[in-house]
Amino acid sequence: MQTLSAPQASAVPAASLQRSACTDTKAHQFARLIRQHYDSELSKVGLRITQYRLLTEVLAHGPVRPCDLAETMSLSPSTLTRTLKPLISTGWVELGPGTDGRTRNVRITAAGRGKCAEGMPHWSVAQAKAHQLIGSRNVSTLHALIGECLMRISAVE
């Protein structure tokens, strides 16, 4: 009489191998750990890395249309909207009229400028620690590799 234990036993390692070799899984795991590291440091001033990044982008490029901001940050419009909501409710950014009556612009407020300034030293600490943990040489290699991969994948789309 044949049992199912032998085929199931061989299927488990194959599934495990498939997951461990999945580029999306590896990229997601790495991005999640890095994001947690930055979030931990920025939480000391009440920010998450996504919020801090959005504040710095609006500071650098604002006033800016939400669609342009989403494109600059490589975010979907729904992700941008979800990230903007708490920043608007805290008064760090505001959504106001654009250059014509049909558009709107995201602007950073004085409180948002202050929050950026407050977050900068914490972002710097997180950045330095990430570089220390990964290794400066690995960071340079990683940045170059990610840049090349982004160019190759973007060229196909």
Side-chain angles (χ1 to χ4, degrees), residues 29-41 49:
Q29 288 170 338
F30 182 72
R32 185 171 163 257
L33 283 174
I34 292 293
R35 195 172 303 112
Q36 286 174 348
H37 179 75
Y38 282 83
D39 282 348
S40 174
E41 184 61 37
I49 187 60

Side-chain angles (χ1 to χ4, degrees), residues 4-139:
L4 296 176
S5 61
Q8 286 176 343
S10 64
V12 172
S16 178
L17 176 62
Q18 203 170 23
R19 276 193 309 276
S20 69
C22 177
T23 303
D24 178 69
T25 299
K26 289 296 184 188
H28 180 76
Q29 288 170 338
F30 182 72
R32 185 171 163 257
L33 283 174
I34 292 293
R35 195 172 303 112
Q36 286 174 348
H37 179 75
Y38 282 83
D39 282 348
S40 174
E41 184 61 37
L42 286 164
S43 70
K44 295 173 183 174
V45 292
L47 287 169
R48 297 179 62 202
I49 187 60
T50 51
Q51 295 170 327
Y52 179 73
R53 190 171 153 239
L54 194 132
L55 283 172
T56 59
E57 286 293 327
V58 175
L59 180 63
H61 299 104
V64 61
R65 294 182 318 159
C67 61
D68 294 333
L69 183 59
E71 185 176 331
T72 298
M73 296 182 69
S74 299
L75 297 174
S76 68
S78 63
T79 299
L80 177 67
T81 299
R82 201 170 40 253
T83 307
L84 272 175
K85 280 183 181 180
L87 300 181
I88 291 169
S89 67
T90 57
W92 297 334
V93 297
E94 60 187 12
L95 197 56
T99 55
D100 60 31
R102 300 173 300 155
T103 61
R104 298 176 64 126
N105 279 338
V106 179
R107 295 174 179 83
I108 194 161
T109 64
R113 282 185 179 83
K115 191 49 92 169
C116 267
E118 186 181 3
M120 174 58 88
H122 295 278
W123 177 87
S124 295
V125 166
Q127 179 86 341
K129 182 130 190 219
H131 284 209
Q132 177 191 12
L133 291 169
I134 296 168
S136 294
R137 204 161 116 202
N138 286 340
V139 168

